[in-house]
């Protein structure tokens, strides 16, 4: 039987030999190179700074859901290092911790020490040339944060990119958190979808929409919306059904591989099941019975309209304790498959009122609904539910990526309530009403008066383009999805 060090060295040698051909096949479909996520540009910038001996974030951590493109970004980084920066292949180590874990217990620090000793005859402290570590699925090493913090501190010649499921959020320690640069990879917004599918990006529109939401000034957004719509008409492959396609399937890069839609839906459903059976286990070990309960909770969330979730009703339906329902909902949130909105108001209201839950992408909701059997007969009502999830998830993702984060709530009032209320620090709240079809002013005006808001936002097909009517801003759902 091979010793542990031999097993690890064999794995390293195999990766150094096989990854170049793997990268080439993974980044090419039907002879055409895959387009890149916009996040890759930031990684390239940091790599260039590192190579040029300038200040660089050389400890980058990329958490995210399965299927959002984390491994692809590592492969594209590998290709950039080898083909554009002329880094020797021996100096680029890609490893997948889940694969290594199938061979022997994964320990990143130990693996790096073996790699440096056998390929450079050095240790971490004495290394005198630049090395790049691309580490996938890091959550399989429970001590990855400590290991990589030590590697970071001992050598200025190692550049690390770490990816993993959302579970790695929970494995940071204070020392590691101060050193790493976190870049969450979320499901795709419409801008990112178009960039991957058609190699067209509309960052100006995305940025101006953010400005519009928090200032109420629509001038830039109107300008860039017009430019984006004009540019889209000039894309030969772009059709009028593209946005509907995105709403239902486009949250994940796999949809751009010209697969049958039934296959795309099945992949998303399989991904959600793996999150429950595998990724949750990286956070907390749960029984097979609780895995089954988690799947039923997800099924219930996919079948019902967005609304306040009663843990007591779920408890009765699932024949399990309320505390168990709460624990499973919490675990599902920690995987970032779902997230919640609390009621707007004081702390006592938030304690008394239940939460609303949404999926990380409208694509997940649609795939699960189709798999289970969508019970809604009205297609407009169903599309309105998907749009509400899209608005919620785009706002949620934005709140987790902005320097100044904001909070997202739902409106708990029963009479003429709106869908969301967002608030940045102590600024006046901004009510947002979402819907399919024409929306009148009454609902949003009522909420604006109630919350003393300077303006309100309606995301609906009421207008064909961004329009500010007095103190109400109308944004078409397609335009909002660029956020």
């Amino acid at each position: 039987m091979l010793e542990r060090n031999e097993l690890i060295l064999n794995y390293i040698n195999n990766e150094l030999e096989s990854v170049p051909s793997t990268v080439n096949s993974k980044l090419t479909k039907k002879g055409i190179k895959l387009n890149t996520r916009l996040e890759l540009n930031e990684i390239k910038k940091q790599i260039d700074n590192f190579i040029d001996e300038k200040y660089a974030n050389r400890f980058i951590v990329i958490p995210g859901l399965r299927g959002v493109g984390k491994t692809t970004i590592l492969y594209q980084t590998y290709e950039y290092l080898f083909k554009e920066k002329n880094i020797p292949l021996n100096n680029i180590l890609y490893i997948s911790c889940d694969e290594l874990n199938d061979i022997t217990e994964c320990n990143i620090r130990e693996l790096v020490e073996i790699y440096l000793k056998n390929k450079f005859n050095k240790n971490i402290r004495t290394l005198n040339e630049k090395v790049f570590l691309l580490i996938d699925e890091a959550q399989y090493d429970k001590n990855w944060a400590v290991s990589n913090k030590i590697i970071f501190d001992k050598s200025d010649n190692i550049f690390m990119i770490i990816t993993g499921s959302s579970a790695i959020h929970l494995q940071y320690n204070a020392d590691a958190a101060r050193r790493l640069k976190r870049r969450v990879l979320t499901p795709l917004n419409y801008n990112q979808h178009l960039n991957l599918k058609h190699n067209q990006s509309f960052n100006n529109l995305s940025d101006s929409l953010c400005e519009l939401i928090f200032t109420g000034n629509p001038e830039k957004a109107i300008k860039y919306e017009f430019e984006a719509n004009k540019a889209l008409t000039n894309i030969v492959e772009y059709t009028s059904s593209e946005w509907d396609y995105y709403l239902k399937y486009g949250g994940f890069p796999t949809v751009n591989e010209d697969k049958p839609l039934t296959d795309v839906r099945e992949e998303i459903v399989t991904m959600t099941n793996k999150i429950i059976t595998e990724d949750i286990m990286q956070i907390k070990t749960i029984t097979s019975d609780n895995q089954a309960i988690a799947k039923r909770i997800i099924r219930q969330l996919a079948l019902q309209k967005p609304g306040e979730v009663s843990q007591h009703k779920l408890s009765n339906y699932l024949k399990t304790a309320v505390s168990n329902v709460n624990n499973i909902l919490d675990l599902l949130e920690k995987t970032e498959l779902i997230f919640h909105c609390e009621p707007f108001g004081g702390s006592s209201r938030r304690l008394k009122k239940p939460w609303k839950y949404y999926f990380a992408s409208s694509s997940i909701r649609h795939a699960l609904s189709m798999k289970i059997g969508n019970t809604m007969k009205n297609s407009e009502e169903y599309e309105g539910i998907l749009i509400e999830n899209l608005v919620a998830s785009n706002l949620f993702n934005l709140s987790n990526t902005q320097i100044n984060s904001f909070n997202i709530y739902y409106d708990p009032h029963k009479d003429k309530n709106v869908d969301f209320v967002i608030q940045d620090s102590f600024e006046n709240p901004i009510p947002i009403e979402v819907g399919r079809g024409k929306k009148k002013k009454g609902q949003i005006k009522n909420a604006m008066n109630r919350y003393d808001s300077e303006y309100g936002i309606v995301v609906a097909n009421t207008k064909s383009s961004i329009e500010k009517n007095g103190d109400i801003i109308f944004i078409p759902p397609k335009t909002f999805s660029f956020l």
Side-chain angles (χ1 to χ4, degrees), residues 337-350:
L337 178 62
I338 62 173
F339 62 93
H340 77 268
C341 290
E342 298 180 23
F344 185 75
S347 57
S348 61
R349 171 171 279 172
R350 290 178 206 166

Side-chain angles (χ1 to χ4, degrees), residues 317-355:
Y317 170 73
L318 298 168
K319 295 181 174 55
T320 189
V322 172
S323 59
N324 195 40
V325 170
N326 288 331
N327 287 336
I328 292 173
L329 283 168
D330 180 60
L331 286 171
L332 289 170
E333 284 205 74
K334 284 175 178 172
T335 68
E336 296 184 15
L337 178 62
I338 62 173
F339 62 93
H340 77 268
C341 290
E342 298 180 23
F344 185 75
S347 57
S348 61
R349 171 171 279 172
R350 290 178 206 166
L351 287 172
K352 293 176 183 177
K353 297 281 287 184
W355 295 348

Side-chain angles (χ1 to χ4, degrees), residues 90 114 123 128 192 287 297 327 352 369 384 388 414 421:
N90 209 47
I114 293 170
N123 59 37
N128 56 3
Q192 294 163 331
T287 65
I297 288 175
N327 287 336
K352 293 176 183 177
S369 295
E388 183 179 336
K414 294 184 179 179
V421 180

Side-chain angles (χ1 to χ4, degrees), residues 5-16:
N5 282 12
E6 288 182 89
L7 288 170
I8 293 174
L9 181 58
N10 286 346
Y11 174 77
I12 291 170
N13 288 333
N14 182 65
E15 292 301 279
L16 289 172

Side-chain angles (χ1 to χ4, degrees), residues 18-252:
S18 64
V19 168
S21 58
T22 301
V23 165
N24 187 59
S25 64
K26 292 290 186 181
L27 299 184
T28 305
K29 299 296 179 184
K30 297 180 181 178
I32 300 173
K33 276 284 183 188
L34 295 180
N35 292 323
T36 63
R37 285 193 63 143
L38 299 171
E39 290 86 350
L40 184 63
N41 294 333
E42 176 60 25
I43 292 173
K44 288 180 178 179
K45 178 182 176 182
Q46 299 304 326
I47 286 173
D48 291 350
N49 286 344
F50 176 68
I51 292 172
D52 295 338
E53 302 287 347
K54 298 177 182 177
Y55 172 77
N57 291 310
R58 56 183 181 84
F59 184 1
I60 300 174
V61 177
I62 307 176
L65 274 176
R66 287 174 177 267
V68 294
K70 302 186 299 295
T71 301
T72 300
I73 275 190
L74 287 186
Y75 285 154
Q76 288 167 333
T77 301
Y78 188 103
E79 185 178 62
Y80 177 70
L81 288 166
F82 171 52
K83 292 188 176 180
E84 296 189 41
K85 306 308 291 185
N86 299 314
I87 303 299
L89 290 177
N90 209 47
N91 293 51
I92 314 168
L93 179 63
Y94 166 88
I95 62 166
S96 178
C97 290
D98 62 335
E99 291 180 359
L100 178 59
N101 209 51
D102 288 339
I103 300 169
T104 185
E105 184 180 0
C106 181
N107 183 310
I108 292 172
R109 183 182 173 187
E110 181 182 13
L111 178 141
V112 171
E113 291 281 15
I114 293 170
Y115 163 61
L116 296 179
K117 179 181 178 182
N118 283 272
K119 301 304 174 184
F120 302 95
N121 196 28
K122 302 287 182 181
N123 59 37
I124 295 172
R125 195 180 294 279
T126 61
L127 181 69
N128 56 3
E129 55 185 295
K130 296 193 183 303
V131 164
F132 298 83
L133 304 178
L134 310 179
I135 301 173
D136 209 1
E137 303 291 353
Q139 73 274 3
Y140 283 88
D141 177 358
K142 297 294 186 184
N143 296 311
W144 72 266
V146 173
S147 292
N148 286 283
K149 177 256 180 186
I150 292 171
I151 293 169
F152 178 92
D153 287 344
K154 284 188 174 183
S155 175
D156 293 333
N157 286 316
I158 298 178
F159 187 104
M160 300 177 287
I161 305 178
I162 316 296
T163 79
S165 73
S166 299
I168 66 174
H169 281 301
L170 309 175
Q171 297 169 358
Y172 298 159
N173 58 37
D175 285 339
R178 283 196 295 271
R179 290 159 174 78
L180 61 83
K181 174 69 174 177
R182 183 174 69 100
R183 186 64 169 92
V184 180
L185 216 60
T186 63
L188 306 174
N189 65 19
Y190 197 38
N191 179 32
Q192 294 163 331
H193 168 81
L194 293 171
N195 182 60
L196 286 182
K197 189 168 185 180
H198 302 295
N199 200 24
Q200 288 274 349
S201 60
F202 302 94
N203 296 339
N204 287 336
L205 178 54
S206 297
D207 293 342
S208 63
L209 280 168
C210 183
E211 181 180 325
L212 162 61
I213 288 170
F214 291 104
T215 67
N217 185 349
E219 289 182 13
K220 287 184 182 178
I222 289 172
K223 173 188 174 184
Y224 292 124
E225 179 192 43
F226 176 81
E227 291 181 1
N229 286 331
K230 183 178 178 181
L232 289 174
T233 61
N234 292 323
I235 300 175
V236 176
E237 299 85 1
Y238 187 84
T239 67
S240 58
S241 61
E242 181 81 42
W243 186 76
D244 181 72
Y245 179 75
Y246 161 75
L247 177 68
K248 295 175 180 175
Y249 304 98
F252 297 89

Side-chain angles (χ1 to χ4, degrees), residues 357-381:
Y357 288 88
Y358 294 92
F359 289 94
S361 165
S362 59
S363 305
I364 299 175
R365 173 156 197 146
H366 178 68
L368 291 170
S369 295
M370 293 300 100
K371 178 71 174 180
I372 298 164
N374 181 24
T375 57
M376 295 175 193
K377 297 178 181 178
N378 187 320
S379 60
E380 285 199 0
E381 179 187 28

Side-chain angles (χ1 to χ4, degrees), residues 382-393:
Y382 178 65
E383 185 174 319
I385 288 169
L386 293 182
I387 291 171
E388 183 179 336
N389 198 124
L390 179 146
V391 170
S393 57

